[in-house]
Amino acid sequence: TLWVISVDGTALQQLTDGPGDYDPAWSPDGNTIAFTSARDTRTQLYLFNLSDGSITNVSNNLAFEFQPFWSPDGSQLGFVSTTTGSPTIFIRTVGESGTTVFSREEDSTIIQPVWSADGARILFNQRMDSGLPGIMFATIANSGFNATPLVAQPGPPMRDADVSPDGSWLAYEGWPDGVNHDIWIATSGGAVPQRVTSDAAFDFDPA
């Protein structure tokens, strides 16, 4: 179930009541929330219209689709789908039914994608040759076929990047000591890493 709350901790409001609603992604214009739901027995993408409360299934297929993310201008919606077998990033222009494949099927374990603030590239998790997860990026122009590690390999394990609104920084989950998962920030190019948390428990899902 999806909820919203004011940043001061007040005005908690329930938006949906479907079982297994998760992965919310707010559109840049603030009018729509894309989310994943298992309400139709398999995970599909839905749009929640904040003006009238309507919910629309934008997948309507037999694949499992999840982890929606918006382009900075709100004109495109990216997501992960199993249409081709392995988890693959697709892009859909809002208001249109067709989709475009962004990543290659042979790129294994591609998950948790996010658009760069300038709209030029997409970052995502992928397992490196070392067996550890790393953050990759690929430009929109080359549709994922030029995927490049954000940090030169072999590098520290890192995953689940999020981009600051001005595009200058990345927040991510990292554990360079091989044990303690903390939140880190680095420049948009992966340089100057700084640890933000140092809790004994796992810290993850930064925004």
Side-chain angles (χ1 to χ4, degrees), residues 22-203:
Y22 62 104
D23 278 346
W26 217 308
S27 65
D29 64 8
N31 296 326
T32 307
I33 297 176
F35 65 97
T36 305
S37 178
R39 61 179 63 200
D40 291 330
T41 70
R42 61 189 180 282
T43 57
Q44 300 272 273
L45 300 182
Y46 293 79
L47 297 181
F48 179 88
N49 186 317
L50 282 106
S51 63
D52 61 15
S54 62
I55 298 175
T56 305
N57 183 333
V58 294
S59 291
N60 286 316
N61 59 44
L62 296 177
F64 289 84
E65 298 187 344
F66 49 95
Q67 294 178 349
F69 64 106
W70 296 90
S71 63
D73 64 3
S75 66
Q76 295 178 296
L77 183 66
F79 57 95
V80 178
S81 176
T82 61
T83 299
T84 59
S86 301
T88 302
I89 298 173
F90 284 77
I91 297 173
R92 172 183 287 116
T93 298
V94 175
E96 298 181 8
S97 58
T99 60
T100 301
V101 178
F102 177 76
S103 62
R104 295 176 295 179
E105 182 180 350
E106 59 265 31
D107 291 333
S108 62
T109 59
I110 290 179
I111 55 173
Q112 296 175 313
V114 62
W115 228 295
S116 64
D118 62 5
R121 61 181 183 167
I122 290 175
L123 297 91
F124 53 90
N125 292 2
Q126 184 172 326
R127 193 166 297 279
M128 303 288 104
D129 292 340
S130 64
L132 297 173
I135 297 173
M136 304 284 287
F137 70 88
T139 62
I140 298 298
N142 289 299
S143 299
F145 287 93
N146 66 333
T148 304
L150 184 69
V151 175
Q153 296 299 307
M158 53 196 306
R159 65 186 178 196
D160 198 8
D162 197 20
V163 182
S164 66
D166 66 359
S168 299
W169 295 92
L170 297 176
Y172 63 93
E173 175 190 350
W175 56 107
D177 63 358
V179 179
N180 199 29
H181 293 232
D182 287 312
I183 303 304
W184 291 69
I185 60 172
T187 65
S188 58
V192 199
Q194 303 173 44
R195 189 170 68 181
V196 177
T197 67
S198 56
D199 194 88
F202 279 18
D203 299 331

